[in-house]
Amino acid sequence: AASRLSVPAGADFVATSGGPLPCHRVIVVDDDPVVRRQMTLLLSSLGVRQVVALEGAEIALAEIARGGGEHDLLITDLNMPGTDGIEFLRRLAENGYRGCLVLASGVEDMILQTAADLARAKGLSLRGTLKKPATGDALLQLLKASCKKSMIQVPSSDGIKPSPADILEGIHRDEFDLHFQPKVDAATLRVVGVEALARWRHNGKLVSPDAFISTAEQHNLIGELSQLLLTKALLGGAHLSKAGFPLFIAVNLSANWLTDIQLPEFVFATLQATGFPADRLILEITETGVMADITTALDVLTRLRLKGFKLSIDDFGVGYSSMEQLQRLPFNELKLDRSFVHGASEKPVSRAILASSIEMARKLNLSTVAEGVEKQADLDLLRGLGCDLVQGWLVAKAMPLEELLEWLQTRGSL
């Protein structure tokens, strides 16, 4: 059921890699003996010291359990009899597998990429995918790649669910803060703005924004919390301007806050108090939330635009009402959701969605922002499609204001 090929100690070489590989022991799982043999020969020729070739997922799970996680990489097929590749991924996640992973299959691209997304969603560390029959060059790139999960920007929170009293206490103790993520021109990478992202450390632990915003919305605390966060964002923007960085500031508005008919007056008064220019404030509204009360939202958002603020439709394409929102509301900007951006260079469907969205935005005179840009190939794709701005870990993570200032200063003035 298993074959092992060991390379002599002196054979740790890669003729075309430009240096030694980080992988010395690799497990290959495939029900086809010809594929197992081919993969074993390819890996050994690329400098892998030991290859363990196994014919099925159950045998592989037992091998991993016996080895105690000592191997460097697992390469698995998807379409296998018995326990198939998707079941294998589930079992690996359930068993707490922490090694690196490559999915190798001859299935159609859409299925392969869906399986890759599933692996990341389960917390598995995926290096990438490999189309069969594998080539030495393709395999070499995956051997040299680092082992990564999707780099989300929301901090871990250990599943903390705050109470309304916790949020009120956090507001009164001034525990809520903001991190700022740069937004850059896609073509030049010049920094043009930042997005303000809420952070909360309560009793020494980070609380997920999804958790505390959800609780605040459910218990009518979102207005008080949003006023605090917006004020801090504008103070941060004014501080950046004084330091020589007159950037746009993007702030997320909860759909629940859009029911406050006095919202435009509060924003305008806060701008006057902080000295931040109205034309450099971008208010991001999640398109799935605007429909909660469309009449009031139309009133509030139109008045915000009349006062000179820019409006961005956030998470575009995720909900069902995207086109209707574009018809009814006076947006300036369309923000492409990270679910379409991340890995788009490898996903034909995501590429098509991005291309059509960017083209539509251009015809509607809307600027476009792509969030979740983590790979150079995705940035190159967005540039080719004509996207205006990008943000994501490829450029910079979200960071506190003082850290942002240091980061900006290392890049030079605008």
Side-chain angles (χ1 to χ4, degrees):
S3 62
R4 287 172 168 77
L5 185 148
S6 295
V7 181
D12 185 16
F13 67 91
V14 181
T16 59
S17 71
L21 293 174
C23 294
H24 301 295
R25 184 173 187 269
V26 176
I27 294 178
V28 175
V29 184
D30 199 297
D31 63 301
D32 188 334
V34 175
V35 172
R36 292 200 301 273
R37 179 63 179 169
Q38 179 210 23
M39 194 73 73
T40 297
L41 292 172
L42 278 174
L43 288 165
S44 61
S45 71
L46 293 173
V48 176
R49 289 177 176 174
Q50 185 178 24
V51 181
V52 180
L54 307 172
E55 67 179 11
E58 295 296 337
I59 301 171
L61 289 167
E63 174 74 18
I64 292 168
R66 278 196 304 271
E70 295 177 358
H71 60 281
D72 301 304
L73 178 66
L74 170 65
I75 302 176
T76 181
D77 190 14
L78 290 178
N79 196 0
M80 299 182 290
T83 301
D84 62 38
I86 301 304
E87 292 177 282
F88 187 30
L89 295 180
R90 185 195 315 138
R91 296 276 296 279
L92 288 171
E94 290 171 350
N95 293 346
Y97 176 72
R98 292 293 175 262
C100 293
L101 177 70
V102 167
L103 303 182
S105 182
V107 299
E108 61 184 86
D109 290 344
M110 186 62 183
I111 297 176
L112 185 55
Q113 291 306 321
T114 301
D117 289 341
L118 176 64
R120 295 187 185 97
K122 288 182 175 296
L124 298 170
S125 297
L126 187 72
R127 284 197 179 186
T129 60
L130 191 64
K131 286 289 289 184
K132 291 182 180 178
T135 65
D137 287 342
L139 188 56
L140 176 61
Q141 292 307 310
L142 290 175
L143 291 177
K144 293 167 63 179
S146 59
C147 202
K148 296 180 180 179
K149 300 177 185 179
S150 180
M151 294 183 288
I152 60 174
Q153 297 168 358
V154 176
S156 173
S157 63
D158 298 325
I160 299 171
K161 181 67 174 177
S163 69
D166 291 331
I167 292 177
L168 286 172
E169 181 183 3
I171 292 174
H172 296 152
R173 291 185 175 183
D174 196 27
E175 293 177 344
F176 290 92
D177 203 357
L178 292 172
H179 284 194
F180 298 87
Q181 184 172 41
K183 298 164 72 173
V184 303
D185 182 284
T188 66
L189 298 186
R190 182 177 66 90
V191 184
V192 299
V194 294
E195 180 181 0
L197 299 166
R199 298 289 185 260
W200 182 25
R201 186 176 291 277
H202 186 58
N203 294 329
K205 295 182 178 180
L206 284 173
V207 184
S208 164
D210 287 343
F212 67 74
I213 289 172
S214 174
T215 299
E217 289 177 335
Q218 292 170 14
H219 296 276
N220 298 318
L221 298 174
I222 196 63
E224 186 175 357
L225 178 59
S226 296
Q227 288 180 4
L228 171 66
L229 294 173
L230 177 64
T231 301
K232 289 195 170 194
L234 296 181
L235 286 170
H239 187 66
L240 288 170
S241 294
K242 290 179 182 178
F245 302 100
L247 302 174
F248 286 90
I249 301 289
V251 180
N252 293 280
L253 289 191
S254 165
N256 290 39
W257 201 22
L258 294 178
T259 60
D260 183 356
I261 207 71
Q262 298 302 316
L263 173 58
E265 282 70 28
F266 173 80
V267 178
F268 189 69
T270 307
L271 283 167
Q272 289 184 314
T274 59
F276 191 78
D279 61 358
R280 281 200 267 123
L281 174 61
I282 302 173
L283 301 172
E284 296 188 359
I285 297 96
T286 303
E287 61 97 354
T288 53
V290 172
M291 294 302 291
D293 183 350
I294 189 62
T295 302
T296 304
L298 282 169
D299 183 317
V300 170
L301 293 175
T302 303
R303 290 170 62 231
L304 285 170
R305 285 287 288 114
L306 286 172
K307 292 182 181 297
F309 314 134
K310 292 180 171 59
L311 300 180
S312 175
I313 181 168
D314 198 10
D315 299 338
F316 182 79
V318 173
Y320 298 101
S321 55
S322 303
M323 301 305 174
E324 183 179 2
Q325 306 292 31
L326 284 176
Q327 281 192 112
R328 303 177 78 171
L329 299 171
F331 289 107
N332 306 89
E333 180 182 273
L334 186 152
K335 195 163 188 182
L336 300 161
D337 187 72
R338 69 179 62 252
S339 63
F340 302 117
V341 173
H342 180 72
S345 57
E346 304 168 357
K347 303 176 184 177
V349 172
S350 293
R351 287 201 301 271
I353 292 171
L354 289 176
S356 60
S357 298
I358 292 170
E359 178 62 24
M360 178 187 63
R362 185 180 298 115
K363 291 179 178 178
L364 295 175
N365 294 318
L366 302 176
S367 62
T368 48
V369 182
E371 61 179 347
V373 179
E374 300 175 1
K375 298 166 58 178
Q376 182 65 43
D378 293 337
L379 174 60
D380 294 340
L381 171 66
L382 291 162
R383 284 170 165 168
L385 294 175
C387 185
D388 298 309
L389 306 176
V390 299
Q391 68 181 93
W393 278 48
L394 183 67
V395 177
K397 65 178 181 179
M399 60 193 95
L401 184 62
E402 292 305 317
E403 187 178 331
L404 172 66
L405 277 169
E406 294 178 7
W407 183 84
L408 288 167
Q409 288 161 0
T410 62
R411 295 172 66 93
S413 59
L414 300 180

